[in-house]
Amino acid sequence: MRDVLIAGARLLDPATGLDAPGDLLIRNGLILDHGPNLSRPEGAEVVAAEGACLAPGLVDLRAAIGEPGAEHRETIASAAAAAAAGGITTLCALPDTDPALDDPALVQFVLRRGEATGSITLLPYGAATKRCEGREIAEYGLLLEAGAIGFTDGRRAIGHARVMRLALSYARAFGRMVVQHPEEPSLAAGGAATEGELATRLGLPGIPAAAEAMLVQRDITLARLTGGHVHFAHVSTGAALDLIRAAKAEGLAVTCDTAPPYFDLNETAIGDWRTYAKLSPPLRPEADRLAVVAALRDGTVDAIVSDHQPHDADDKRLPFAQAEAGGAGLATLLGVTLARVHGADLPLLGALDLLTARPAALLGLPVGRLTKGAAADLVLFDLERGWQVKAGSLPGKAQNSPFDGRALEGRVTGTWKAGRRVFAA
């Protein structure tokens, strides 16, 4: 493998606070050195960054992938292509596939398929319960030996308190976290939008926003009881974030993430029954969006995730209440996050920290930093370059973006995985 010198970049490393012009040298897939005016080794490939930002590759803690079982929606290969275009080099896959990842052989299958892409590190979660049905705990020890990184039932909440208590206790014994979809199932059943004036006007069955806070409160209590680590996914309401903030202040093992729709959109995005904006959890009122932004800023939120949920046209071309919930998010993860930088809601390093070092730290992964000697997983992006999200033109199979038509500033121009360029624009 030839040496690669990325020259004339704005080097950004949130883990160390680095924000300075310079070059970065890759040798044998590793970061050999970075700094100003590096010498060009003989025979090295030179990439002229022309002032673009060079940062660690993004670490995405939450993505649903169709494979196995729903390859018509998304395959591991197509998800890897979309991830590379979005600057993502480490991707965590949810286990609520068909069949669910409750068997060590299936975990190993996903790992092998990820390795075969050559463009991402694909890390599967193991199912928290058998078949992700929320009734019986899966075999955590065997799933970890096979390569699972943690436990979750993915897009399904673990609704039974005793089962969640057991999950937290068993996961604690292995030093892993349980990731919860925080939505009280009996309150959410059959709902399509956040309960309130808009849902009533559109004639849509509502889900009370309190369904999120109720499950968060219960699971914080269980974390206190068991000493286990609960991680709340795609948190979307101010009430839930207040509970998480207080639990952290208490010293409990409680963490959370959110996704771009919950800090960039509000419930008005569903417009006249716009199914691409039907998500799970549903979009919230503006006050909740602002609360999510504040929680990003004050450190309550530990990571920003893509919350990628692929669906094909047949899933979305239905009446709103019958359409599938979820949106494609891999290719837009960085661009929508940078909108909060351009809007002065977040500093650039702070935003990147939530996409790199902090999610990596949650899982104990040696990525997300511009460390000399580390794997050269990198993203190069032009902070000011404008582009428009267009469903039908996104990389990968999934085109169901809630940001369809959104104008963004900040475009990925290159992604490297272990020193090999896997995306160029």
Side-chain angles (χ1 to χ4, degrees):
M1 180 183 289
R2 290 173 65 191
D3 290 352
V4 178
L5 180 66
I6 304 174
R10 179 182 176 183
L11 301 176
L12 299 168
D13 185 9
T16 62
L18 174 67
D19 182 355
D23 312 328
L24 186 142
L25 180 61
I26 301 169
R27 177 169 294 168
N28 296 325
L30 305 177
I31 298 173
L32 182 67
D33 197 7
H34 60 72
N37 303 315
L38 296 185
S39 300
R40 175 185 177 182
E42 184 177 352
E45 174 190 357
V46 177
V47 176
E50 299 179 339
C53 299
L54 184 65
L58 309 189
V59 180
D60 184 2
L61 293 183
R62 186 178 181 84
I65 299 176
E67 190 174 0
E71 288 84 354
H72 63 288
R73 293 175 176 165
E74 187 83 278
T75 65
I76 288 172
S78 68
I88 299 164
T89 53
T90 301
L91 184 66
C92 301
L94 296 178
D96 51 331
T97 48
D98 184 16
L101 304 186
D102 60 359
D103 184 296
L106 290 169
V107 171
Q108 292 173 341
F109 165 79
V110 172
L111 283 167
R112 288 195 301 269
R113 295 285 284 172
E115 289 172 1
T117 69
S119 61
I120 57 168
T121 297
L122 185 62
L123 301 174
Y125 289 101
T129 67
K130 292 183 178 179
R131 297 174 296 280
C132 292
E133 292 178 346
R135 294 197 292 264
E136 186 179 356
I137 296 296
E139 296 286 351
Y140 288 9
L142 295 177
L143 293 172
L144 285 175
E145 287 179 7
I149 54 162
F151 305 104
T152 181
D153 278 351
R155 293 160 288 182
R156 304 174 188 173
I158 303 172
H160 197 292
R162 181 177 179 277
V163 174
M164 186 61 176
R165 177 185 181 179
L166 289 173
L168 287 168
S169 296
Y170 292 163
R172 180 193 177 197
F174 293 104
R176 300 302 171 99
M177 67 184 183
V178 178
V179 180
Q180 174 72 297
H181 170 71
E183 193 172 56
E184 207 290 318
S186 65
L187 284 176
T194 297
E195 185 177 275
E197 179 184 346
L198 181 63
T200 300
R201 180 164 55 81
L202 295 176
L204 297 173
I207 301 172
E212 181 170 283
M214 286 174 66
L215 205 60
V216 166
Q217 180 65 78
R218 186 204 73 177
D219 288 351
I220 288 172
T221 301
L222 292 174
R224 186 183 295 113
L225 177 66
T226 61
H229 180 179
V230 61
H231 179 88
F232 296 109
H234 46 214
V235 180
S236 61
T237 64
L241 288 163
D242 286 343
L243 293 168
I244 292 166
R245 190 177 287 113
K248 289 186 167 198
E250 188 182 335
L252 299 179
V254 173
T255 54
C256 71
D257 64 58
T258 194
Y262 305 112
F263 57 76
D264 192 76
L265 302 174
N266 63 32
E267 62 181 353
T268 62
I270 65 176
D272 294 328
W273 303 279
R274 183 171 170 262
T275 59
Y276 273 18
K278 183 182 180 181
L279 305 176
S280 178
L283 291 172
R284 306 298 190 183
E286 177 67 3
D288 285 311
R289 186 193 73 82
L290 293 174
V292 173
V293 172
L296 291 169
R297 194 164 46 237
D298 71 17
T300 300
V301 174
D302 297 275
I304 296 173
V305 302
S306 71
D307 202 19
H308 181 69
Q309 297 182 40
H311 292 292
D312 61 15
D314 290 341
D315 295 329
K316 289 291 188 178
R317 288 175 183 165
L318 292 168
F320 194 95
Q322 284 77 52
E324 294 284 350
L330 296 173
T332 54
L333 174 60
L334 179 61
V336 181
T337 301
L338 291 175
R340 300 278 61 81
V341 175
H342 290 296
D345 292 316
L346 293 172
L348 179 56
L349 284 180
L352 290 175
D353 199 23
L354 290 160
L355 295 167
T356 56
R358 289 186 67 186
L362 278 175
L363 295 176
L365 300 175
V367 294
R369 296 167 173 255
L370 294 186
T371 305
K372 295 177 185 179
D377 293 357
L378 306 166
V379 57
L380 185 70
F381 62 93
D382 185 334
L383 186 61
E384 306 299 331
R385 182 174 172 182
W387 63 291
Q388 187 174 39
V389 181
K390 293 182 180 180
S393 301
L394 295 172
K397 277 191 173 185
Q399 301 297 311
N400 55 304
S401 173
F403 301 106
D404 185 28
R406 175 81 154 86
L408 296 171
E409 287 181 83
R411 189 73 187 263
V412 174
T413 58
T415 305
W416 285 261
K417 179 63 184 175
R420 187 173 71 89
R421 193 164 190 172
V422 294
F423 176 76

